Amino acid sequence: MFSLQRLALQSRTHVGEGYKSFYSLLPRHDNQFRCSRKVSKGSFVFQRNDEIDKAKQAHKLREDAKHEPTIFTKIIQGEIKATIVFEDEEVLAFDDVQPQAPCHVLVIPKKQIPMLSEAKESDKEILGQLLLAAKKVADIKNLSEGYRVVINNGLHGGQSVYHLHLHVLGGKQLGWPPFKNHS
């Protein structure tokens, strides 16, 4: 029988104070799990990557909540607090509350566009402003060694909030490919 714990012990690579992930060594049916943290020397806790579940749930609720404000709308309106990194008339950038890298900032348009695939020709200016804001965020956060900009679009893209947003990720060496197949 395949033992995830044994694989973890055999395949770990020391990196700073933690251990390097070993996604590629897990069998395909287990690749939706990740090593979430080092518990003690030689042992790990595995947890399901719930971003996929969040995206599925958001997709199901999207039709019912089309006219409801999103969590990002509430942040724009000041109803929910966020750590603001950058703001201008059209764009807001703030730290992600569930960072996936040492630096993880969300950049959103103040105008609600549900998803990139629903952007219109008239949105081309704000789409450009989002990318320029991502560059400003990288400058503010001192990501001089590099960073990644990600847009999740729709169910299969893992979009969990239907308000267009860019993820600016950096502060460490990022791997490629960024995500494994979760089918």
Side-chain angles (χ1 to χ4, degrees):
M1 180 158 179
F2 183 80
S3 167
L4 289 175
Q5 188 171 23
R6 186 173 38 142
L7 177 62
L9 293 171
Q10 293 171 350
S11 63
R12 70 175 184 240
T13 306
H14 190 63
V15 178
E17 294 181 21
Y19 289 90
K20 186 176 181 181
S21 175
F22 52 92
Y23 282 109
S24 61
L25 299 175
L26 293 175
R28 184 178 175 121
H29 66 278
D30 286 326
N31 68 3
Q32 59 185 294
F33 291 85
R34 65 181 166 84
C35 175
S36 62
R37 61 188 165 96
K38 183 181 149 200
V39 176
S40 63
K41 190 165 188 145
S43 65
F44 295 85
V45 171
F46 287 86
Q47 73 182 40
R48 182 169 165 70
N49 182 344
D50 64 349
E51 288 303 313
I52 295 167
D53 292 334
K54 286 180 189 175
K56 287 179 181 177
Q57 185 68 21
H59 182 75
K60 284 180 190 174
L61 297 175
R62 183 167 182 244
E63 286 303 312
D64 296 336
K66 248 188 178 164
H67 303 290
E68 298 291 321
T70 68
I71 190 169
F72 294 164
T73 304
K74 292 177 181 180
I75 291 171
I76 292 166
Q77 295 170 345
E79 296 173 26
I80 296 176
K81 293 189 185 260
T83 304
I84 306 299
V85 175
F86 171 79
E87 182 173 12
D88 65 17
E89 303 79 35
E90 304 293 329
V91 174
L92 180 67
F94 52 91
D95 287 331
D96 194 310
V97 295
Q98 294 181 323
Q100 303 299 308
C103 175
H104 187 170
V105 176
L106 300 176
V107 180
I108 64 172
K110 289 184 178 178
K111 170 189 175 186
Q112 185 172 347
I113 301 169
M115 54 200 299
L116 184 60
S117 61
E118 293 183 14
K120 297 176 175 50
E121 185 70 24
S122 60
D123 294 322
K124 65 183 172 186
E125 187 173 326
I126 189 63
L127 295 175
Q129 289 173 335
L130 288 170
L131 287 174
L132 291 172
K135 178 196 174 300
K136 289 176 185 172
V137 164
D139 292 342
I140 291 166
K141 291 290 192 168
N142 195 28
L143 299 177
S144 59
E145 297 293 316
Y147 55 95
R148 181 172 292 155
V149 178
V150 176
I151 299 174
N152 299 328
N153 188 83
L155 175 61
H156 286 179
Q159 186 173 3
S160 59
V161 177
Y162 281 87
H163 185 128
L164 178 63
H165 55 286
L166 283 65
H167 298 260
V168 179
L169 301 145
K172 71 174 188 175
Q173 177 64 58
L174 300 171
W176 194 262
F179 305 105
K180 294 293 180 185
N181 181 5
H182 290 285
S183 58

